[in-house]
Amino acid sequence: MKVLKLIWKNAGRHKLRSVLTVLGLALAVMAFGLIRTFIDAWYAGARAAAPDRLVTRHAVSIIFTLPIAYREQILQVPGVKDITYGTWFGGIYVDPKNFFPQFAVEPESFFRVYPEYVVPPDQMQEFLQDRRGVIVGQSLVDRFGWKVGDPISLIGTIYPGDWQFVIRGVYYGENPDIDETAFIFHFTYLDERMRQETPGRAGQIGWYILRIDDPSRSAEIGARVDSRYDNSWAETKTETEKEFAMTFIQMSEAIIIGLRIVSYLIIGVIFLVLANTMAMTARERVSENAFMRTLGFRGYHLTGLILGESIVIALMGGLVGSVLLYLVGTGAGIALSQFFPGFAVTLPTYLGSVLAALVIGIAASIFPVTRALRVNIVDGLRVVD
């Protein structure tokens, strides 16, 4: 107990320096945690992917469409037990900066394949009965102040013209990784208008979503689907939903790598801040350590005192940084909910941040411990502070 008391007093001997060191560590820990959380949020779409869902798209690129006639053929492939389809709409709501994803889907099969999109039964019934009806995510409702029954007008970019919708329901995700910013409406509404205005674009969809009976056979089933359309004018590429989500993430791989590098550099900053403090401490206590050795303190005593002081300062920085991370992370999660629905600081991130501070606390004590043990007692006593 006396040793712990001595360690605590040593850590607070230079209060201003200790406070500044703890604050520096805390800010670095907070920055490290925020960057790791941002990277985790980037992968939220991949985490939300179900292992029993496959995505079939055009083999060249997702911007090319597939005929809706493939639906019944794909459904005949052994192992495929359900199928739905959708296409990207790309409309503008009032101003181009009001971006949110808009999908034209076959509604009944879509919500059957995606049960994690939860819609109240009465609202779903209203939606299914209204061809201009739309289901929107809870985040969109919060963002624009919409409510069920509101008319919504979009200006089409991929499908030109003014498009009128009526909100018939609001969905929410059954877990935090589900995106609640989607605008989902009837493909039939889109397709009927295409048949009237641009018949060549009618009956074309962006992708199919397949629900399979055995996730372990996903590669086999995907290969069977694609083989049906080899050498056709619209060849397909089928992959798991997670692989499909990762293709979009990989487009931003340079950003992710950059963020990872910055997070590692922050770890280096934490180390340098604490190592500098402990180095100054070692220089100031050369004579004190020599005097303690004349009193009978052994090498492991000095090692324990210096190591304990370094760990105490590091842990205080880690704990204060975790509190800041909670406060800033909560605010950032609310502010970024429209863009990163999965942005939330997780328990592993908190534990990882504190553990990193602890490891750095141990590493930062190596130099002062080595110096304290190597200095000759006589030489140490000659040193005048």
Side-chain angles (χ1 to χ4, degrees), residues 138-384:
Q138 183 63 52
S139 293
L140 276 186
V141 171
D142 297 338
R143 179 182 178 186
F144 296 116
W146 292 342
K147 61 181 182 300
V148 174
D150 281 356
I152 303 295
S153 178
L154 298 182
I155 301 173
T157 53
I158 300 173
Y159 301 95
D162 293 330
W163 296 79
Q164 305 300 321
F165 302 92
V166 179
I167 297 177
R168 293 302 182 192
V170 179
Y171 78 86
Y172 62 90
E174 68 174 10
N175 65 66
D177 287 333
I178 302 301
D179 182 11
E180 294 183 349
T181 65
F183 185 96
I184 302 167
F185 63 95
H186 293 257
F187 176 79
T188 307
Y189 178 43
L190 173 69
D191 196 50
E192 286 180 348
R193 185 160 166 179
M194 288 297 99
R195 290 184 187 282
Q196 296 172 1
E197 299 178 359
T198 51
R201 302 183 66 183
Q204 298 291 313
I205 57 95
W207 57 85
Y208 290 99
I209 308 295
L210 288 55
R211 171 147 275 176
I212 59 177
D213 58 4
D214 184 359
S216 66
R217 296 177 55 220
S218 58
E220 172 197 339
I221 296 171
R224 286 191 176 187
V225 171
D226 294 340
S227 65
R228 291 181 69 99
Y229 306 106
D230 284 344
N231 302 316
S232 69
W233 68 271
E235 295 186 352
T236 62
K237 179 179 181 180
T238 302
E239 54 199 343
T240 64
E241 191 177 45
K242 185 173 184 177
E243 291 171 339
F244 180 71
M246 289 299 294
T247 58
F248 292 95
I249 295 172
Q250 287 167 355
M251 293 179 188
S252 309
E253 192 172 9
I255 297 175
I256 299 296
I257 292 174
L259 289 173
R260 290 188 193 280
I261 292 173
V262 171
S263 70
Y264 297 141
L265 289 176
I266 289 175
I267 293 291
V269 171
I270 299 174
F271 174 74
L272 290 177
V273 168
L274 186 56
N276 181 60
T277 297
M278 295 309 298
M280 286 192 292
T281 299
R283 188 172 59 250
E284 294 169 354
R285 297 180 190 170
V286 171
S287 59
E288 179 180 318
N289 291 333
F291 181 71
M292 292 177 70
R293 290 167 66 183
T294 63
L295 296 177
F297 281 82
R298 308 292 291 272
Y300 59 82
H301 290 126
L302 295 180
T303 300
L305 290 173
I306 297 172
L307 176 63
E309 181 179 348
S310 182
I311 290 177
V312 165
I313 294 175
L315 283 181
M316 289 177 66
L319 294 175
V320 174
S322 294
V323 173
L324 293 176
L325 177 60
Y326 171 76
L327 297 175
V328 177
T330 302
I334 296 173
L336 298 174
S337 61
Q338 299 296 324
F339 309 100
F340 297 99
F343 190 97
V345 184
T346 61
L347 180 60
T349 300
Y350 286 116
L351 295 177
S353 300
V354 175
L355 181 62
L358 175 63
V359 172
I360 287 171
I362 296 172
S365 68
I366 294 175
F367 170 73
V369 166
T370 304
R371 182 169 184 177
L373 298 181
R374 285 184 176 177
V375 172
N376 183 277
I377 294 178
V378 176
D379 293 337
L381 291 174
R382 286 175 178 167
V383 175
V384 179

